[in-house]
Amino acid sequence: MPENNILFTKEQIEELNKISALSPEEQKKILPNFLKKLSPEQIEFLQKQQGQQQCPFCLIAEKKIPAKKIYEDNNVMAVLDINPVTPGHTIIFPKKHFSILPQIPDVGNLFNLANKIASALFESLGAQGTNILVANGQLAGQNIPHVIVNVIPRYKDDKVNLNLEHKQANEEELNKTLEKIKQKANFKPKEDIKPQQIKKIKSHNYEERVP
Ligand SMILES: [Zn+2]
């Protein structure tokens, strides 16, 4: 049922509820006539909702499909990838449906958890490194439009190939690119890391573990 009561009239919501209770065959017969009466905004809303209902990560978050859950809180969830790149491959995602990173109000939740999971993979499985990867957008290789952060533990001789091809660029090209980016990336500098935080990181002995 649409959550947005302003977008739909009370009658339309009642009709939608009746339609959703029907079998898929019956829905097919009735839906075209119902959709004809709706505005493009209403149709777009319904299509979006339909997409979210079929999104596997939304379904995991709603406990409609089972998952090998490692962690969950109000905002984020971490589960084992059931087709792992290496043993312990974990995926972390917001429980709410966000297609790409810029839509997420606080990406810190995701990456803090990724960091903690990476630490757990070092300690539990003896990983010697991790790749923390996000495909942000379809063109970047994102198959499902729900943001996920992959934490892939790396082991000696694991034969995972993530070698990216670097190309040569000349000084002029680099400067042009730099200027374009800087125009849009003139953010305020963040506060320095406080001394106690640095101490905490050192206590994890990452310098020794990360190759
Ligand atoms: Zn989703």
Side-chain angles (χ1 to χ4, degrees):
M1 178 186 137
E3 283 164 28
N4 191 341
N5 292 337
I6 306 155
L7 193 59
F8 292 87
T9 65
K10 198 167 161 258
E11 290 73 30
Q12 284 173 328
I13 291 172
E14 277 170 13
E15 207 172 340
L16 266 169
N17 283 340
K18 269 185 210 162
I19 294 170
S20 65
L22 299 172
S23 70
E25 291 77 33
E26 284 174 311
Q27 283 184 13
K28 261 186 202 166
K29 282 184 217 159
I30 292 172
L31 261 178
N33 272 332
F34 177 71
L35 292 176
K36 269 184 207 162
K37 293 183 276 180
L38 299 182
S39 70
E41 291 79 27
Q42 288 174 321
I43 292 172
E44 194 193 11
F45 179 88
L46 289 177
Q47 282 171 338
K48 212 173 143 198
Q49 211 194 25
Q50 178 76 9
Q52 284 174 20
Q53 280 166 2
Q54 286 162 0
C55 168
F57 300 109
C58 286
L59 292 174
I60 292 173
E62 289 162 18
K63 315 284 185 306
K64 285 181 182 156
I65 48 176
K68 308 283 180 204
K69 189 171 80 185
I70 297 170
Y71 174 85
E72 178 181 10
D73 61 27
N74 290 335
N75 301 306
V76 287
M77 213 167 167
V79 302
L80 280 184
D81 193 314
I82 52 166
N83 300 115
V85 170
T86 59
H89 178 177
T90 301
I91 46 180
I92 296 157
F93 51 93
K95 286 163 80 172
K96 239 179 118 179
H97 186 89
F98 295 111
S99 304
I100 48 167
L101 278 178
Q103 295 172 337
I104 301 179
D106 184 7
V107 290
N109 284 334
L110 277 184
F111 288 98
N112 279 331
L113 183 56
N115 198 20
K116 284 179 184 163
I117 294 286
S119 186
L121 295 171
F122 278 109
E123 284 161 19
S124 60
L125 301 180
Q128 291 163 306
T130 48
N131 287 110
I132 299 179
L133 300 175
V134 183
N136 200 22
Q138 204 178 7
L139 213 98
Q142 188 182 10
N143 299 322
I144 297 161
H146 188 130
V147 171
I148 60 166
V149 179
N150 291 271
V151 183
I152 304 170
R154 298 299 304 273
Y155 309 95
K156 198 169 181 280
D157 302 323
D158 62 18
K159 296 193 173 68
V160 174
N161 184 1
L162 286 174
N163 294 332
L164 301 176
E165 190 196 335
H166 291 252
K167 296 162 194 81
Q168 279 209 326
N170 63 41
E171 184 88 16
E172 196 189 340
E173 279 172 32
L174 287 172
N175 286 338
K176 261 190 202 167
T177 309
L178 178 68
E179 279 315 309
K180 276 186 194 167
I181 298 170
K182 275 170 77 178
Q183 278 177 17
K184 295 284 177 191
N186 51 352
F187 323 117
K188 275 188 201 154
K190 270 221 153 188
E191 265 181 58
D192 286 342
I193 297 176
K194 294 184 186 93
Q196 75 224 52
Q197 284 175 297
I198 292 169
K199 208 173 140 199
K200 204 174 147 202
I201 295 164
K202 275 188 181 159
S203 74
H204 277 70
N205 290 331
Y206 274 114
E207 286 97 335
E208 277 119 74
R209 283 195 193 131
V210 181

